[in-house]
Amino acid sequence: MSLRQLLSALGLTGGESSHVADSFLGRLQAALARLGAERLEYLAGFAGQLARVANVEGGISAEEAAAMAAQLSAAGKLEATDAMVVVDLLRHEFDGLRAVQTHELSRAINAQATADEKLALVDCLYAVAAADRLVSDVEEQEIRRIADSLLVPHRVQMEIRGRYRDRLEVLQSLPRH
């Protein structure tokens, strides 16, 4: 399934829409329709990558959901209420998102985002992973995979990672002297 197919299946095409029976999806469509198709696709990719990191350990916790909403609002430039609607959708419809290949999400971001927006996304990914006070090894692997697909240089990835060094599982397991 492509990102466009997922957006279409959810009734989130960014243009004139068909009737969406589900009231939750209807509210989301109404809230985000004003953004336009390209911006909606970018935000879907952005939010989808956040959800992939949050869900990598088997579910999106309340702390991660709050961090996702905060990041969507700040870096994604969504209204706080719209950001919460997107996070609710991701929590309830994650199985549909799983069907979208990671490269589809990255392609949407790469097509629309500036270099600074890509760096902000990588920082947002770490912020979401750190929401529960620990960036696990599996979360960090997913972040690196996403950052690589966004063509963020390794050196820059390590600079961003350094901001979260006190929360990195790999560093917490080292003996302290």
XYZ file of all heavy atoms in Angstrom, residues 22-92:
511
model
N -17.270 7.145 9.250
C -16.728 7.151 10.600
C -16.582 8.594 11.081
O -15.916 9.404 10.464
C -15.378 6.435 10.604
C -14.815 6.287 11.989
O -14.521 7.326 12.618
O -14.669 5.146 12.444
N -17.190 8.927 12.207
C -17.160 10.311 12.684
C -15.748 10.755 13.037
O -15.400 11.917 12.836
C -18.089 10.476 13.884
O -17.647 9.665 14.957
N -14.932 9.853 13.557
C -13.554 10.212 13.880
C -12.794 10.617 12.626
O -12.171 11.672 12.574
C -12.851 9.029 14.560
C -11.403 9.286 14.821
C -11.011 10.070 15.882
C -10.435 8.752 13.997
C -9.672 10.334 16.112
C -9.100 8.999 14.224
C -8.723 9.790 15.287
N -12.869 9.787 11.595
C -12.181 10.110 10.350
C -12.797 11.339 9.694
O -12.090 12.136 9.087
C -12.207 8.915 9.397
C -11.396 7.698 9.852
C -11.545 6.562 8.853
C -9.946 8.047 10.058
N -14.078 11.500 9.836
C -14.734 12.686 9.299
C -14.220 13.960 9.949
O -13.980 14.964 9.283
N -14.049 13.923 11.272
C -13.502 15.085 11.981
C -12.087 15.374 11.530
O -11.710 16.533 11.329
C -13.530 14.848 13.495
C -14.899 14.918 14.113
C -14.861 15.016 15.634
N -13.797 14.270 16.279
C -13.900 13.009 16.711
N -15.027 12.344 16.538
N -12.890 12.421 17.305
N -11.289 14.321 11.361
C -9.915 14.521 10.913
C -9.890 15.116 9.513
O -9.152 16.059 9.239
C -9.137 13.209 10.937
C -7.685 13.318 10.472
C -6.893 14.207 11.414
C -7.052 11.955 10.364
N -10.699 14.570 8.657
C -10.745 15.072 7.285
C -11.144 16.548 7.273
O -10.519 17.356 6.594
C -11.725 14.249 6.464
C -11.769 14.663 5.016
C -12.681 13.770 4.214
O -13.490 13.048 4.758
N -12.548 13.836 2.922
N -12.156 16.896 8.038
C -12.601 18.290 8.080
C -11.513 19.196 8.656
O -11.291 20.301 8.165
C -13.876 18.396 8.912
N -10.817 18.714 9.675
C -9.789 19.525 10.317
C -8.584 19.758 9.418
O -7.962 20.815 9.462
C -9.337 18.863 11.619
N -8.251 18.782 8.595
C -7.016 18.858 7.817
C -7.214 19.149 6.333
O -6.237 19.421 5.631
C -6.220 17.562 7.979
C -5.817 17.210 9.415
C -5.041 15.909 9.445
C -5.025 18.321 10.063
N -8.438 19.143 5.850
C -8.690 19.342 4.418
C -8.139 20.668 3.915
O -7.691 20.770 2.780
C -10.182 19.240 4.121
N -8.113 21.660 4.758
C -7.644 22.984 4.349
C -6.153 23.019 4.019
O -5.665 23.978 3.432
C -7.958 23.999 5.432
C -7.107 23.836 6.680
C -7.549 24.758 7.802
N -6.756 24.568 8.987
C -6.863 23.556 9.837
N -7.776 22.610 9.623
N -6.095 23.474 10.904
N -5.405 21.976 4.393
C -3.961 21.977 4.192
C -3.539 21.710 2.755
O -2.443 22.091 2.362
C -3.304 20.935 5.110
C -3.461 21.174 6.601
C -2.842 20.032 7.387
C -2.854 22.503 7.011
N -4.358 21.041 1.988
C -3.989 20.699 0.617
C -3.283 19.357 0.547
O -2.708 18.889 1.531
N -3.300 18.755 -0.621
C -2.818 17.385 -0.808
C -1.332 17.233 -0.502
O -0.924 16.289 0.170
C -3.121 16.910 -2.225
N -0.496 18.150 -0.989
C 0.945 17.998 -0.789
C 1.328 18.134 0.677
O 2.113 17.341 1.203
C 1.713 19.007 -1.641
C 1.700 18.668 -3.108
C 2.479 19.662 -3.942
O 2.965 20.682 -3.391
O 2.612 19.413 -5.149
N 0.786 19.135 1.347
C 1.099 19.325 2.764
C 0.550 18.175 3.592
O 1.191 17.701 4.529
C 0.532 20.664 3.248
C 0.857 20.978 4.676
C 2.323 21.273 4.865
N 2.573 21.589 6.267
C 3.753 21.565 6.830
N 4.818 21.280 6.114
N 3.900 21.856 8.098
N -0.628 17.696 3.249
C -1.223 16.571 3.948
C -0.360 15.323 3.786
O -0.127 14.594 4.744
C -2.645 16.315 3.438
C -3.461 15.280 4.184
C -3.569 15.621 5.661
C -4.842 15.178 3.573
N 0.166 15.095 2.590
C 1.029 13.942 2.364
C 2.319 14.075 3.177
O 2.780 13.111 3.789
C 1.334 13.791 0.873
C 2.034 12.490 0.551
C 2.109 12.217 -0.933
O 1.128 12.520 -1.651
O 3.145 11.707 -1.366
N 2.908 15.273 3.202
C 4.111 15.513 4.013
C 3.819 15.229 5.487
O 4.580 14.532 6.168
C 4.596 16.948 3.823
C 5.572 17.396 4.892
C 6.893 16.963 4.871
C 5.160 18.226 5.927
C 7.787 17.354 5.860
C 6.052 18.619 6.912
C 7.355 18.185 6.875
O 8.233 18.568 7.855
N 2.730 15.787 6.004
C 2.393 15.583 7.416
C 2.095 14.122 7.722
O 2.429 13.629 8.801
C 1.215 16.464 7.821
C 1.551 17.938 7.986
C 0.283 18.754 8.174
C 2.517 18.157 9.141
N 1.490 13.420 6.776
C 1.241 11.989 6.968
C 2.567 11.240 7.075
O 2.723 10.354 7.927
C 0.404 11.441 5.820
N 3.520 11.597 6.228
C 4.841 10.977 6.306
C 5.529 11.308 7.624
O 6.094 10.431 8.287
N 5.475 12.560 8.022
C 6.072 13.034 9.273
C 5.463 12.286 10.459
O 6.166 11.696 11.282
C 5.828 14.541 9.373
C 6.507 15.231 10.517
C 7.674 15.947 10.300
C 5.965 15.206 11.790
C 8.302 16.619 11.350
C 6.583 15.872 12.841
C 7.754 16.574 12.626
N 4.139 12.311 10.538
C 3.436 11.656 11.648
C 3.634 10.148 11.608
O 3.798 9.507 12.653
C 1.946 11.995 11.596
N 3.641 9.587 10.403
C 3.844 8.144 10.266
C 5.193 7.706 10.786
O 5.313 6.664 11.449
N 6.228 8.511 10.530
C 7.561 8.163 11.029
C 7.598 8.277 12.552
O 8.191 7.435 13.228
C 8.639 9.043 10.383
C 8.766 8.892 8.892
C 9.285 7.534 8.422
O 9.056 6.499 9.044
N 9.965 7.547 7.294
N 6.954 9.288 13.111
C 6.867 9.395 14.568
C 6.185 8.166 15.154
O 6.635 7.595 16.156
C 6.093 10.649 14.984
C 6.707 12.011 14.699
C 5.746 13.117 15.120
C 8.049 12.182 15.366
N 5.093 7.742 14.516
C 4.343 6.580 15.006
C 5.162 5.304 14.901
O 5.086 4.445 15.781
C 3.036 6.445 14.233
N 5.936 5.164 13.841
C 6.771 3.963 13.701
C 7.763 3.850 14.852
O 7.961 2.769 15.394
C 7.506 3.970 12.370
C 6.632 3.599 11.209
C 7.484 3.345 9.971
N 6.663 3.140 8.813
C 6.089 1.981 8.490
N 6.243 0.928 9.235
N 5.351 1.901 7.401
N 8.382 4.958 15.225
C 9.335 4.928 16.340
C 8.597 4.646 17.647
O 9.024 3.812 18.445
C 10.143 6.232 16.411
C 10.914 6.333 17.725
C 11.098 6.316 15.228
N 7.475 5.313 17.863
C 6.717 5.122 19.104
C 6.197 3.697 19.233
O 6.148 3.147 20.335
C 5.555 6.113 19.163
N 5.849 3.088 18.137
C 5.230 1.762 18.160
C 6.239 0.618 18.075
O 5.862 -0.530 18.211
C 4.221 1.643 17.009
C 3.278 0.484 17.206
O 2.528 0.460 18.160
N 3.350 -0.489 16.319
N 7.493 0.910 17.885
C 8.479 -0.138 17.643
C 8.586 -1.126 18.812
O 8.973 -2.267 18.615
C 9.855 0.475 17.260
C 10.597 1.006 18.456
C 10.692 -0.504 16.483
N 8.198 -0.712 19.987
C 8.232 -1.601 21.152
C 6.865 -2.210 21.458
O 6.635 -2.686 22.560
C 8.760 -0.853 22.368
C 10.214 -0.469 22.226
C 10.736 0.302 23.424
O 10.039 1.216 23.905
O 11.836 -0.037 23.853
N 5.965 -2.179 20.500
C 4.701 -2.875 20.656
C 3.507 -2.026 21.026
O 2.466 -2.572 21.391
N 3.583 -0.757 20.934
C 2.444 0.101 21.214
C 2.880 1.523 21.451
O 4.036 1.785 21.760
N 1.945 2.429 21.306
C 2.221 3.844 21.530
C 1.717 4.195 22.926
O 0.515 4.180 23.180
C 1.541 4.718 20.454
C 2.068 4.342 19.061
C 1.763 6.201 20.756
C 1.341 5.027 17.911
N 2.647 4.475 23.837
C 2.279 4.793 25.215
C 1.652 6.183 25.292
O 1.750 6.986 24.360
C 3.518 4.735 26.114
O 4.386 5.824 25.826
N 1.047 6.470 26.419
C 0.452 7.795 26.636
C 1.525 8.881 26.578
O 1.294 9.956 26.006
C -0.268 7.832 27.981
N 2.705 8.593 27.131
C 3.807 9.567 27.092
C 4.255 9.820 25.662
O 4.506 10.956 25.262
C 5.000 9.086 27.923
C 4.740 8.968 29.401
C 4.176 7.599 29.798
O 3.953 6.731 28.928
O 3.951 7.409 30.997
N 4.364 8.746 24.879
C 4.772 8.881 23.485
C 3.711 9.625 22.672
O 4.042 10.451 21.828
C 5.058 7.509 22.882
C 6.316 6.865 23.440
C 6.456 5.405 23.104
O 5.422 4.701 22.974
O 7.601 4.940 22.982
N 2.439 9.341 22.941
C 1.358 10.039 22.236
C 1.408 11.534 22.531
O 1.261 12.359 21.625
C 0.001 9.455 22.634
N 1.638 11.885 23.789
C 1.741 13.305 24.153
C 2.943 13.950 23.464
O 2.847 15.074 22.966
C 1.843 13.453 25.670
N 4.057 13.237 23.418
C 5.254 13.768 22.750
C 5.015 13.904 21.251
O 5.442 14.891 20.639
C 6.458 12.860 23.017
N 4.330 12.935 20.656
C 4.013 13.016 19.225
C 3.170 14.254 18.946
O 3.438 14.989 17.987
C 3.278 11.754 18.762
C 4.160 10.533 18.668
S 3.219 9.011 18.367
C 2.387 9.385 16.832
N 2.148 14.477 19.757
C 1.276 15.643 19.552
C 2.075 16.937 19.693
O 1.911 17.863 18.891
C 0.111 15.613 20.540
N 2.948 16.991 20.692
C 3.766 18.188 20.892
C 4.690 18.422 19.697
O 4.845 19.564 19.237
C 4.583 18.061 22.176
N 5.277 17.361 19.171
C 6.188 17.494 18.032
C 5.434 17.867 16.760
O 5.913 18.672 15.959
C 6.997 16.208 17.825
C 7.890 15.835 18.993
C 8.808 16.942 19.435
O 9.375 17.658 18.618
N 8.951 17.120 20.738
N 4.262 17.281 16.545
C 3.453 17.635 15.379
C 3.023 19.094 15.444
O 2.962 19.778 14.424
C 2.227 16.727 15.267
C 2.490 15.332 14.735
C 1.273 14.439 14.970
C 2.852 15.384 13.261
N 2.739 19.557 16.635
C 2.325 20.940 16.809
C 3.501 21.892 16.583
O 3.382 22.852 15.821
C 1.746 21.123 18.219
O 1.241 22.407 18.380
N 4.641 21.590 17.202
C 5.799 22.488 17.110
C 6.492 22.390 15.750
O 6.618 23.379 15.038
C 6.780 22.173 18.238
N 6.946 21.206 15.388
C 7.735 21.042 14.159
C 6.855 20.864 12.925
O 7.214 21.293 11.838
C 8.685 19.860 14.294
N 5.698 20.232 13.107
C 4.786 20.026 11.984
C 3.875 21.213 11.742
O 3.119 21.242 10.778
N 3.918 22.166 12.662
C 3.140 23.404 12.553
C 1.639 23.153 12.445
O 0.930 23.801 11.690
C 3.648 24.251 11.392
C 5.088 24.670 11.592
C 5.597 25.500 10.451
C 7.001 25.954 10.756
N 8.026 25.280 10.043
N 1.167 22.178 13.228
C -0.270 21.906 13.312
C -0.827 22.578 14.562
O -0.125 22.734 15.556
C -0.520 20.404 13.429
C -0.463 19.562 12.186
C -0.715 18.100 12.533
C -1.470 20.027 11.155
N -2.087 22.941 14.497
C -2.779 23.399 15.696
C -2.766 22.244 16.693
O -2.803 21.075 16.299
C -4.230 23.767 15.370
C -4.379 24.916 14.406
C -4.047 26.252 15.041
O -4.240 26.392 16.266
O -3.583 27.140 14.309
N -2.717 22.550 17.974
C -2.645 21.516 19.009
C -3.806 20.527 18.898
O -3.614 19.317 19.045
C -2.603 22.151 20.393
N -5.003 21.022 18.625
C -6.151 20.118 18.517
C -6.025 19.219 17.288
O -6.349 18.032 17.356
C -7.478 20.896 18.455
O -7.406 21.856 17.394
C -7.770 21.600 19.766
N -5.521 19.756 16.166
C -5.305 18.942 14.971
C -4.237 17.888 15.230
O -4.363 16.737 14.796
C -4.885 19.803 13.775
C -5.993 20.712 13.275
O -7.165 20.511 13.677
O -5.693 21.628 12.481
N -3.191 18.272 15.955
C -2.117 17.322 16.268
C -2.657 16.160 17.099
O -2.306 14.999 16.851
C -0.990 18.029 17.002
N -3.523 16.453 18.054
C -4.106 15.374 18.871
C -4.993 14.464 18.032
O -5.006 13.250 18.223
C -4.907 15.952 20.047
C -4.028 16.392 21.208
S -2.878 15.115 21.816
C -3.969 13.776 22.206
N -5.725 15.040 17.083
C -6.565 14.229 16.199
C -5.697 13.293 15.372
O -6.009 12.107 15.227
C -7.443 15.129 15.290
C -8.141 14.327 14.229
C -8.466 15.880 16.133
N -4.574 13.794 14.854
C -3.664 12.960 14.064
C -3.102 11.836 14.929
O -3.060 10.681 14.514
C -2.533 13.808 13.447
C -1.452 12.921 12.831
C -3.098 14.757 12.393
N -2.678 12.153 16.138
C -2.130 11.127 17.035
C -3.198 10.089 17.366
O -2.914 8.881 17.364
C -1.543 11.765 18.318
C -1.189 10.700 19.353
C -0.314 12.594 17.967
N -4.418 10.524 17.625
C -5.505 9.571 17.887
C -5.706 8.648 16.691
O -5.893 7.442 16.855
C -6.810 10.297 18.215
C -6.823 10.890 19.612
O -5.974 10.506 20.442
O -7.685 11.756 19.871
N -5.678 9.213 15.497
C -5.820 8.401 14.298
C -4.696 7.366 14.224
O -4.937 6.188 13.976
C -5.804 9.267 13.044
C -5.743 8.491 11.721
C -7.034 7.720 11.509
C -5.466 9.413 10.561
N -3.469 7.802 14.452
C -2.334 6.887 14.377
C -2.435 5.779 15.423
O -2.095 4.636 15.145
C -1.024 7.659 14.543
C -0.663 8.561 13.370
C 0.472 9.496 13.754
C -0.315 7.752 12.139
N -2.900 6.119 16.589
C -3.043 5.091 17.635
C -4.135 4.082 17.291
O -3.989 2.899 17.568
C -3.355 5.744 18.982
C -2.157 6.504 19.544
C -2.465 7.109 20.872
N -2.235 6.094 21.903
C -2.420 6.316 23.191
N -2.858 7.486 23.606
N -2.178 5.372 24.064
N -5.217 4.553 16.675
C -6.337 3.664 16.377
C -6.218 2.969 15.028
O -6.850 1.939 14.809
C -7.659 4.451 16.452
C -7.985 4.886 17.832
N -7.687 6.150 18.287
C -8.527 4.224 18.870
C -8.055 6.239 19.559
N -8.568 5.096 19.928
